Amino acid sequence: EPADLLKVLDFHNLPDGISKTTGFCTSRRSSKGADVAYRVTKDAQLSAPTKQLFPETPFPEDFSILTTVKAKKGGQAFLISIYNEQGIQQVGVELGRSPVFLYEDHMEKPGPENYPLFRGINLSDGK
């Protein structure tokens, strides 16, 4: 069952550090009007417990995160963090000149030495 991070993080109620804005596409044939996007500032606390996303099951071994972002030029910051019941970060997405993707399942695998590396990719180029 898909987990909706926007719903879990309560984006629709615009918590501190989150504001609604226009998305990249001002008009699409497949949608009703303009894209909706959210502006996330440093004041936002974007973290959730794993149990809130997957209340009935452990964190899945196979998963995807789909997002479209436009990071501020030169910035480096975590976009999202997901923690287990012991407070250990299971997923972390950091945007910037050196993007970081942290992932650890309920068996604490893979270890940091096997996290994916994104060399030569700059997600804070302002584009």
Side-chain angles (χ1 to χ4, degrees), residues 100-122:
V100 176
F101 178 73
L102 309 173
Y103 165 67
E104 202 173 89
D105 68 11
H106 64 286
M107 301 295 289
E108 298 181 5
K109 301 288 181 200
E113 66 279 0
N114 292 320
Y115 291 159
L117 301 175
F118 301 97
R119 293 189 174 107
I121 296 175
N122 181 358

Side-chain angles (χ1 to χ4, degrees), residues 4-11 15 45-48 52 80-81:
D4 186 341
L5 280 172
L6 292 179
K7 188 180 289 184
V8 168
L9 295 171
D10 202 25
F11 264 53
Q45 296 285 321
L46 300 182
S47 65
Q52 198 169 346
I80 180 77
S81 297

